[in-house]
Amino acid sequence: MNAPMGLRERKKQRTRETISDTAISLFLEHGFDQVSVVDIAAVAEVSKPTLFKYFPTKEDLVVHRFADHQTVSSTVVAERPPGVSAIDALHRHFLDGLAARDPITGLNDDEDVLAFHHLVYSTPSLVARVSQYLAQAEEALAQALVDALDSDREITAALLAGQVIATERILASVNWQCIVAGRSADEVYPEAVADADHAYELLRQGLAGAATQK
């Protein structure tokens, strides 16, 4: 079990959350480009240097939430049960995310989540920062797949990692577009599961000719 955080760590975590929540609220109300870092620091009641200590860039105030998912896929592969293939573990994890309405799957119709997604994907600099996080997630997954695949070519792991990250991004985008169009998450859920099953079957078929799973 993880050791409980000490008082200092809890205080730092609260400060980080306060700064981020303040920034996102201001961005949603006024627009990303219309709010300065100075504005955010003032409302959050912290200094500008303190803000940058927690968030190196203005974009990180928003998209740091994506950073929390950077190593999820690689952890799923590394910690999968014995006898379970990497693809099966990733497939199961994505299905679990759909069932839980995890926003990262795009299948979430909460108004705050929709507003957050709109903020991110309507702001070019935020889209660019998200792309950087996805590239880092892809690299971490490729490293985990090197050990998971029975292949002596690292390119195989890199190619599969790229396909997995792209597949899940497209699945999430399709789900999100359905929600934006006015459908509920519950209504879209069966289609989202079917799409994920189809997508992962395509990944399995492609993998079959490249390497075998341990």
Side-chain angles (χ1 to χ4, degrees), residues 12-141:
K12 289 174 64 177
Q13 181 64 26
R14 285 196 299 270
T15 300
R16 187 172 190 267
E17 291 173 355
T18 296
I19 294 171
S20 176
D21 290 346
T22 298
I24 292 172
S25 294
L26 290 172
F27 293 150
L28 289 173
E29 182 177 357
H30 302 289
F32 183 80
D33 294 327
Q34 283 65 49
V35 178
S36 71
V37 171
V38 173
D39 295 331
I40 297 165
V43 176
E45 298 183 338
V46 298
S47 66
K48 186 176 176 181
T50 295
L51 184 149
F52 280 125
K53 182 174 68 174
Y54 288 94
F55 300 99
T57 71
K58 182 181 176 183
E59 288 74 20
D60 285 326
L61 286 159
V62 179
V63 300
H64 74 91
R65 295 181 178 182
F66 290 87
D68 296 337
H69 292 80
Q70 275 184 290
T71 59
V72 169
S73 293
S74 58
T75 300
V76 167
V77 170
E79 298 181 356
R80 70 193 190 283
V84 176
S85 72
I87 285 294
D88 285 347
L90 290 165
H91 184 187
R92 182 70 262 168
H93 178 75
F94 193 82
L95 291 179
D96 289 344
L98 291 174
R101 304 297 190 264
D102 188 336
I104 204 71
T105 67
L107 193 67
N108 188 299
D109 52 15
D110 181 85
E111 290 184 3
D112 290 339
V113 172
L114 290 176
F116 177 80
H117 272 246
H118 178 73
L119 169 67
V120 171
Y121 293 108
S122 64
T123 307
S125 62
L126 294 178
V127 172
R129 193 72 177 109
V130 169
S131 296
Q132 293 177 357
Y133 280 125
L134 289 175
Q136 292 165 358
E138 181 181 319
E139 182 178 349
L141 178 57

Side-chain angles (χ1 to χ4, degrees), residues 149-212:
L149 299 177
D150 186 15
S151 173
D152 58 359
R153 301 186 65 193
E154 291 188 4
I155 187 63
T156 301
L159 287 170
L160 180 56
Q163 291 168 359
V164 168
I165 296 299
T167 294
E168 294 189 350
R169 176 183 58 79
I170 292 170
L171 289 171
S173 178
V174 170
N175 294 336
W176 184 62
Q177 290 171 17
C178 289
I179 300 298
V180 170
R183 301 174 65 190
S184 70
D186 290 343
E187 180 186 357
V188 177
Y189 176 68
E191 298 172 25
V193 170
D195 287 345
D197 289 344
H198 176 65
Y200 268 96
E201 185 56 35
L202 292 176
L203 288 173
R204 289 187 186 88
Q205 292 174 11
L207 182 63
T212 58

